[in-house]
Amino acid sequence: MNSDSDLQIAGDILEVPHLLQPAREHPTTVAEFVGLARAIAADRSQWEHLVEYDATSRWYHRLRTGPGYEVWLLSWVPGQGSGLHDHGRSSGVLTVLRGELTERTQNGTRALGAGAQRVFAPGYVHEAVNDSLEPAVSLHVYYPGLTEMPMHSAQCAASVAPDTTEDVVTA
């Protein structure tokens, strides 16, 4: 019996950007939401003029909505962070548009530079922070639209579900 999975044989489609289909007007699959985020990121005219920076709190702007999903634009000045949280019943795609963010989970810390993407499932607990000396901008796609963002204490971090995200390699 062959024990190779389809993923082992074909590879992860999200790691091969040229195999991703162009984003539909209204995405319905994880790959299409990733494609939507990439398309918006690539077209700076859709978001660059909207970005503002606020030293007192993270700035955010709902950029787009569609059937069951939302796209948010966020800015982060140095030192700003989200706090440890999940996204309730929403799945999502986080794309760094400018600068660098640090993502912290129970499994460790990773730096996300411009162009990096993370895909996450409902209940995924993480914290995003701008640990750099420069402002950062990120794009967030949520499906279904974000209705809650429960905060977690650091003590809860050790007992949360394992990392249920995937890195998405960008070109």
Side-chain angles (χ1 to χ4, degrees):
M1 177 173 192
N2 188 347
S3 64
D4 290 335
S5 71
D6 290 343
L7 186 59
Q8 290 170 320
I9 295 167
D12 185 351
I13 191 171
L14 297 179
E15 292 188 13
V16 188
H18 68 278
L19 293 179
L20 292 176
Q21 298 296 315
R24 288 192 228 179
E25 180 181 359
H26 298 298
T28 59
T29 67
V30 172
E32 289 173 349
F33 282 112
V34 168
L36 172 66
R38 285 185 177 164
I40 293 171
D43 185 359
R44 298 174 81 86
S45 68
Q46 290 189 50
W47 58 268
E48 196 166 40
H49 66 284
L50 298 169
V51 175
E52 297 179 20
Y53 297 99
D54 185 336
T56 60
S57 66
R58 281 181 304 130
W59 173 89
Y60 53 91
H61 172 77
R62 189 165 61 185
L63 191 60
R64 180 186 299 183
T65 61
Y69 71 91
E70 297 178 325
V71 180
W72 289 86
L73 185 64
L74 282 76
S75 72
W76 313 70
V77 299
Q80 286 180 336
S82 64
L84 195 61
H85 69 282
D86 69 62
H87 302 94
R89 62 188 190 98
S90 298
S91 295
V93 178
L94 160 66
T95 304
V96 179
L97 301 176
R98 181 186 300 149
E100 184 177 290
L101 294 175
T102 301
E103 182 186 38
R104 296 185 180 108
T105 69
Q106 74 167 12
N107 294 331
T109 300
R110 76 174 41 115
L112 304 172
Q117 290 186 295
R118 296 284 287 148
V119 175
F120 54 88
Y124 175 66
V125 178
H126 73 146
E127 176 180 32
V129 179
N130 182 352
D131 284 332
S132 76
L133 298 176
E134 300 294 327
V137 179
S138 58
L139 184 78
H140 304 250
V141 180
Y142 299 108
Y143 179 84
L146 193 61
T147 58
E148 60 181 321
M149 196 172 111
M151 300 305 289
H152 296 262
S153 68
Q155 293 82 15
C156 292
S159 64
V160 298
D163 187 345
T164 53
T165 68
E166 296 203 20
D167 288 313
V168 179
V169 177
T170 57

